[in-house]
Amino acid sequence: MRRKITLKHIARELDVSISTVSKALKGSSEISEDTKDKVQAFAKLYNYKPNNIAVSLKNKRTKNIGVIIPDIVHHFFTTVFRGIEHYANQRGYNVIVCVSDESFDREVVNMEMLANGSIDGFIMALAGETQLKKDFRHLREVMDQGMPLVLFDRVTDEIACDKVVLNDEQISYEATMSLINEGRKRIALLTTDSFFSVSNAREQGYKRALRESNITVDENHILRLPYNKEIDGVGSFLKKNNINAVLTVNEIFGVHCLSAAQGIGLNIPTDLSVIGFTDGILSKYSVPKLTTVAQHGDKMGALAAKLLIEKIENDFNEEDEVFTTEVIQATIIRRKSTIN
Amino acid sequence: MRRKITLKHIARELDVSISTVSKALKGSSEISEDTKDKVQAFAKLYNYKPNNIAVSLKNKRTKNIGVIIPDIVHHFFTTVFRGIEHYANQRGYNVIVCVSDESFDREVVNMEMLANGSIDGFIMALAGETQLKKDFRHLREVMDQGMPLVLFDRVTDEIACDKVVLNDEQISYEATMSLINEGRKRIALLTTDSFFSVSNAREQGYKRALRESNITVDENHILRLPYNKEIDGVGSFLKKNNINAVLTVNEIFGVHCLSAAQGIGLNIPTDLSVIGFTDGILSKYSVPKLTTVAQHGDKMGALAAKLLIEKIENDFNEEDEVFTTEVIQATIIRRKSTIN
DNA sequence: TTGTAGGCGTTATCAG
DNA sequence: CTGATAACGCCTACAA
């Protein structure tokens, strides 16, 4: 077993000092061509690579970024993660992921694990529990230590930091409008509990579209379904309220709605139009294919990573920090569950 | 901005030596209760936490594990990752993920990035290109350096290391058998190019079941579809060969098969039975719901992490290393696309 | 009971 | 042109 080789080994073998080796490997002009060649050849032969940990300690830079997300088996987060990972890798950063599982405690623990030197900055989407409790001390603490933080999607106004969000309210408004333009009047919203920042924004957009079109907002047309649990009762909800169009805040609800509607004999899109959120795999393979709001997670992730790395690398001048909130423009992918 | 505090800061403030602080914080019995209290109180007040990087350098242990997977927007890998992350976290390890994107080069680059001290060991599934090229030097190199490696799912016989795989051949045999037991004779296989170790194993199981049941294996009944590309021609394939049962090596093919069959007027499962692989979200929301082989990714991931951490922590006695290959038992989840 | 010194691997400064 | 030294933050054997 050929153990990893260090500067010290090379120095000993070649009978020079460690600093000479270090400089020679960097091609420093202070070192003679002769020794440079000798050292570099030896290093190549034994496949010398500097030890990241030692370099990190020296530079106080790990070239790692920490990502904390509520869930990984989830198309949108996965997509964002891919965006982050891809961009970060290009810039020479590695990504450490922790999953909070929607739990406040796990979010706190994970942050603490990573905040002690393992990473140069955080990218995260808040756990459901955190948004519910509105307790953000762990975020504030990390910021106080001068560690950059970028929030995406599930954000909060209570923390001043860079953010990347979707134009949730607006795209939800537009989606609802497009249903109204199909001539639909009895439009339902299938959503989750409203403490999720994004669900809330989507609900606002839905309501605004109705109001602006002089359709009274009927709370009975808003069905709040449990998140990550068995779904039930959508068919009877549709029938009872005589719904003819639905906006759902994710694609699971959307696809479920499709089958529930077909189950009670409705034709899609003739009798009922459906628009979902999250342009994932379900939307593409459902029957009929689901019209859906693409959240462009890749773009969101890449942008979050870009913002973070800029903060990390621009030894930002302490107090006069400026935070931006970037808004990603969602787009509606028209497929077969709507008329237009 | 309250910068991170170190032993040195505490020592200076309290006018003791660094080592006294270090010992006091560990509750060492060499230190007087008095100073212990004083130091610990101070440390708590300023929220002292040891710097991971420094500890890593000292111990030559990072408490990080590296995961390299071909794709992250993919239900199975995502599930395995969750298993790894969950188990690793419990044992105090963090997880650094790199995505190879099925590319050999990216796999190599990522491995090199991580192998220089950032992590204590690797868990990986081979990129498609790597399985095609059969070039495993990068794996061997890492092993040579004494860094533990666990391969899962996409493995190779050419590297001696711990492995976690599915009983692909056997479960594929059983799935095919169950189709045969429904009275089906014209059974198709929808698969990918055969250089993927798993597709290959599944094909073997399928063929064995046919052979043992005295059904001639007809290569025309095996349709090889491009991976991660647009799928086409499944309907005409089914019709032309008068297929009445299908086994597919993933759930996308399975669900696609469902719609293609329904598109040409076949009733499922009366006219055609379908069994897919990967019990993901598609299978649960398809119409009808897809009978599928559950690969238990969580379990696979947890086991891989367990094997790896054991190797890391048991300062394994150099040469007399023993490698195990653990086999996860897949199970068939019966839903509505089959008769039984 | 406390402190000193050396080392983990690297880099940067300064002296020879 | 080369090397000694100190430092990053922590730990620990050994000395006082």
Side-chain angles (χ1 to χ4, degrees), chain A residues 219-239:
Chain A
E219 288 291 334
N220 289 320
H221 290 180
I222 300 179
L223 182 59
R224 295 182 202 282
L225 295 167
Y227 181 68
N228 267 344
K229 296 225 187 72
E230 209 51 45
I231 307 171
D232 204 22
V234 174
S236 59
F237 164 82
L238 295 175
K239 187 177 266 172

Side-chain angles (χ1 to χ4, degrees), chain A residues 81-314:
Chain A
F81 177 76
R82 180 170 59 187
I84 294 172
E85 200 265 350
H86 193 144
Y87 183 87
N89 259 4
Q90 281 190 326
R91 303 269 310 243
Y93 284 76
N94 280 123
V95 180
I96 301 185
V97 203
C98 291
V99 178
S100 66
D101 233 339
E102 302 289 5
S103 142
F104 174 80
D105 290 336
R106 294 206 6 117
E107 186 172 287
V108 172
V109 168
N110 283 327
M111 272 195 98
E112 282 174 356
M113 274 190 89
L114 296 183
N116 300 121
S118 298
I119 60 169
D120 297 336
F122 278 108
I123 295 178
M124 53 191 293
L126 299 172
E129 241 183 79
T130 306
Q131 291 204 319
L132 184 57
K133 289 181 74 153
K134 294 184 198 294
D135 183 346
F136 306 112
R137 275 172 297 177
H138 51 308
L139 304 190
R140 213 161 273 127
E141 208 153 286
V142 155
M143 291 285 293
D144 279 354
Q145 285 168 184
M147 174 155 303
L149 166 65
V150 178
L151 290 178
F152 74 90
D153 194 60
R154 306 250 204 101
V155 305
T156 171
D157 288 339
E158 298 192 27
I159 296 286
C161 67
D162 286 333
K163 291 164 197 168
V164 184
V165 295
L166 202 73
N167 57 340
D168 277 297
E169 200 273 350
Q170 177 63 20
I171 195 72
S172 187
Y173 168 87
E174 289 172 19
T176 308
M177 272 305 188
S178 96
L179 292 171
I180 293 170
N181 290 336
E182 284 183 1
R184 311 295 188 179
K185 292 253 151 74
R186 307 186 62 80
I187 303 174
L189 174 69
L190 263 58
T191 184
T192 62
D193 286 318
S194 62
F195 58 80
F196 282 113
S197 57
V198 291
S199 299
N200 197 33
R202 290 169 198 171
E203 186 172 329
Q204 297 315 318
Y206 157 83
K207 287 180 173 171
R208 179 160 67 92
L210 294 185
R211 264 187 268 107
E212 288 190 9
S213 310
N214 296 312
I215 300 176
T216 15
V217 173
D218 184 345
E219 288 291 334
N220 289 320
H221 290 180
I222 300 179
L223 182 59
R224 295 182 202 282
L225 295 167
Y227 181 68
N228 267 344
K229 296 225 187 72
E230 209 51 45
I231 307 171
D232 204 22
V234 174
S236 59
F237 164 82
L238 295 175
K239 187 177 266 172
K240 192 178 72 191
N241 296 286
N242 195 23
I243 299 298
N244 57 17
V246 183
L247 176 68
T248 74
V249 298
N250 61 43
E251 63 170 359
I252 293 191
F253 293 175
V255 170
H256 184 90
C257 188
L258 250 35
S259 352
Q262 288 167 327
I264 59 170
L266 296 180
N267 179 287
I268 294 179
T270 320
D271 303 328
L272 182 80
S273 287
V274 181
I275 300 183
F277 258 80
T278 301
D279 181 37
I281 199 169
L282 277 178
S283 309
K284 293 183 191 92
Y285 289 95
S286 63
V287 182
K289 294 182 182 164
L290 187 66
T291 292
T292 184
V293 174
Q295 297 167 283
H296 305 295
D298 287 274
K299 213 193 250 179
M300 213 157 157
L303 185 50
K306 181 161 177 287
L307 289 177
L308 184 69
I309 293 176
E310 272 164 14
K311 272 274 155 50
I312 291 171
E313 300 192 343
N314 292 355

Side-chain angles (χ1 to χ4, degrees), chain B residues 190-210:
Chain B
L190 262 58
T191 183
T192 63
D193 287 318
S194 62
F195 57 79
F196 283 114
S197 56
V198 291
S199 300
N200 197 34
R202 290 168 199 173
E203 185 170 331
Q204 299 313 319
Y206 156 83
K207 288 180 173 170
R208 179 161 66 91
L210 295 184

Side-chain angles (χ1 to χ4, degrees), chain A residues 39-55:
Chain A
V39 170
Q40 285 170 359
F42 190 93
K44 178 159 289 167
L45 182 61
Y46 286 94
N47 192 27
Y48 168 81
K49 296 272 168 51
N51 178 313
N52 291 333
I53 296 292
V55 174

Side-chain angles (χ1 to χ4, degrees), chain B residues 40 89 92:
Chain B
Q40 286 171 357
N89 259 3

